[in-house]
Amino acid sequence: MYVLGIETSCDETAAAVVADGRKLLSSVVASQVDIHALYGGVVPEIASRAHTEAIYGVVENALEKASVKLSEIGAIAITYAPGLIGALLTGLSFAKGLSYTTGIPLVPVHHIRGHVAANYLVHPDLAPPFIALVVSGGHTSLLKVNDYTEYVSIGQTRDDAAGEAFDKAARVLGLPYPGGVAMDKLAAKGNKKAVKFTVSSVDDAEYDFSFSGLKTAVINYVHNELSRGREMDEAFKADVAASYTDVLIRTITSRMRLLMERDASVPIVLAGGVAANSHLRNAVSELADSYGVKLYLPPLSLCGDNAAMIAAQGYYEYKAGLKAPLSLNAYATRAV
Ligand code: KG4
Ligand code: ZN
């Protein structure tokens, strides 16, 4: 069955066609990053307006690239939560209109489930149960995926997401928005022991994360050093990037190590924009190897927001009997 996926939860307008939840036929992503970079972050109203302009062309393009006609589509999978509300509503309203006029069923997809499902498109042997770690600009969630549509939350961030923490440090170091990729490259050139940052923990919730303290720590460190006359040169920036990346990774891997110590029989799946980070990929690979745990990593092309992941998850939601009424609403926050 062909599923048309549509994703507009943040700053990418995306559409894709996937066959049977596993085979990627097309994936079109129109990024708004250049527009938001002018403001140093995503401006919600601008995002909604840019989605409105782009969505029709992106959907047409995805169908064309897949060589699939709209009449051959079996379900329309749409991200309904979580995300920027105006941005979500733009894609949702478009998908509803398409469903209403064609009679093709509408299937609601949770964005975080979508990120996990990106892995189904490249790992034919991957099937639940597994543990998933979703690290992106908006989310940091440790999940037990018991079945394709049965998710249990194990841990999550209490404040900022890992991607937000990367972006904040990047901003302080004067790197362009979004800073994840630049931080990745810069960190490779620095000494990770140069600055001492401590791994944070959350009382009574050993699998939860907290990144806001680290964000403050890096801002204070850079400002203090500069006020003491330190130059913001490449070597300084690289050392801060390396040390900060290292503590963020140790924060993440400490929770994963705990899980693996308790049960090394369940595979681990990484997902989300930050899963593109080369240092995180290496650290998690080493950790999984040391416990003999099977690890699945998404390709870089499917780490960030896209609609192929929404179509992949939509297929499994549809098979489980999920179909949305045309009164479906969008939600800025929603449990996975
Ligand atoms: O999954 P995504 O595209 O959007 C959300 O659902 O939030 O994630 C975007 C986030 C941004 O914060 C970006 O800086 C971060 O992923 N990111 C990275 C890397 N590539 C993207 N962070 C660290 N290292 C990277 N290589
Ligand atoms: Zn995302």
Side-chain angles (χ1 to χ4, degrees):
M1 182 177 89
Y2 296 135
V3 176
L4 170 67
I6 298 177
E7 153 67 42
T8 63
S9 69
C10 191
D11 60 345
E12 330 275 355
T13 314
V17 180
V18 167
D20 299 329
R22 294 278 176 168
K23 190 163 183 263
L24 178 61
L25 299 182
S26 69
S27 176
V28 178
V29 180
S31 176
Q32 306 171 3
V33 75
D34 293 347
I35 311 172
H36 299 295
L38 300 172
Y39 306 94
V42 178
V43 182
E45 188 183 328
I46 293 177
S48 310
R49 290 175 182 278
H51 286 311
T52 297
E53 283 175 3
I55 186 108
Y56 171 73
V58 167
V59 169
E60 280 276 277
N61 204 343
L63 288 166
E64 232 168 69
K65 281 195 171 157
S67 300
V68 170
K69 292 193 205 73
L70 190 54
S71 57
E72 296 173 285
I73 295 289
I76 299 166
I78 177 71
T79 308
Y80 76 104
L84 299 172
I85 200 69
L88 284 165
L89 285 169
T90 313
L92 179 57
S93 302
F94 185 89
K96 279 186 187 184
L98 208 54
S99 169
Y100 178 66
T101 50
T102 58
I104 302 169
L106 187 67
V107 179
V109 175
H110 193 286
H111 184 80
I112 295 182
R113 291 188 183 198
H115 271 299
V116 174
N119 282 278
Y120 300 145
L121 296 164
V122 287
H123 301 299
D125 63 320
L126 174 62
F130 55 79
I131 300 281
L133 174 74
V134 182
V135 270
S136 73
H139 320 282
T140 310
S141 302
L142 203 46
L143 307 154
K144 177 82 193 292
V145 183
N146 289 322
D147 207 339
Y148 289 103
T149 58
E150 207 196 309
Y151 277 63
V152 178
S153 174
I154 301 174
Q156 60 208 311
T157 182
R158 291 297 183 95
D159 37 58
D160 301 314
E164 258 178 294
F166 270 113
D167 293 343
K168 185 52 130 192
R171 193 173 178 158
V172 158
L173 295 176
L175 304 173
Y177 171 86
V181 178
M183 282 286 283
D184 195 340
K185 289 190 186 135
L186 197 56
K189 298 182 199 150
N191 170 13
K192 65 181 183 187
K193 296 203 171 15
V195 191
K196 289 218 174 346
F197 293 118
T198 21
V199 170
S200 58
S201 57
V202 178
D203 287 346
D204 304 324
E206 56 191 358
Y207 291 118
D208 277 1
F209 305 86
S210 168
F211 294 106
S212 69
L214 281 172
K215 242 173 56 174
T216 313
V218 72
I219 294 168
N220 288 345
Y221 177 78
V222 172
H223 286 169
N224 286 341
E225 289 299 302
L226 295 183
S227 66
R228 279 192 202 123
R230 185 85 170 254
E231 288 272 326
M232 179 82 105
D233 56 17
E234 282 306 301
F236 173 71
K237 289 201 280 189
D239 281 351
V240 174
S243 305
Y244 187 72
T245 300
D246 184 58
V247 71
L248 286 185
I249 289 174
R250 284 188 288 121
T251 307
I252 292 167
T253 52
S254 64
R255 275 61 166 177
M256 300 184 92
R257 180 175 293 108
L258 205 55
L259 272 170
M260 290 183 201
E261 257 164 28
R262 290 175 182 165
D263 185 1
S265 69
V266 193
I268 302 255
V269 171
L270 216 60
V274 181
N277 186 276
S278 62
H279 312 278
L280 177 65
R281 291 169 86 94
N282 290 340
V284 176
S285 301
E286 266 175 36
L287 182 67
D289 277 353
S290 72
Y291 283 91
V293 169
K294 184 141 178 64
L295 173 70
Y296 294 90
L297 295 172
L300 298 192
S301 58
L302 293 174
C303 286
D305 288 349
N306 64 83
M309 67 187 202
I310 302 302
Q313 182 60 24
Y315 171 76
Y316 290 104
E317 301 287 354
Y318 177 82
K319 278 221 316 191
L322 193 64
K323 195 184 151 194
L326 286 175
S327 58
L328 173 69
N329 212 334
Y331 302 90
T333 56
R334 191 79 160 176
V336 66

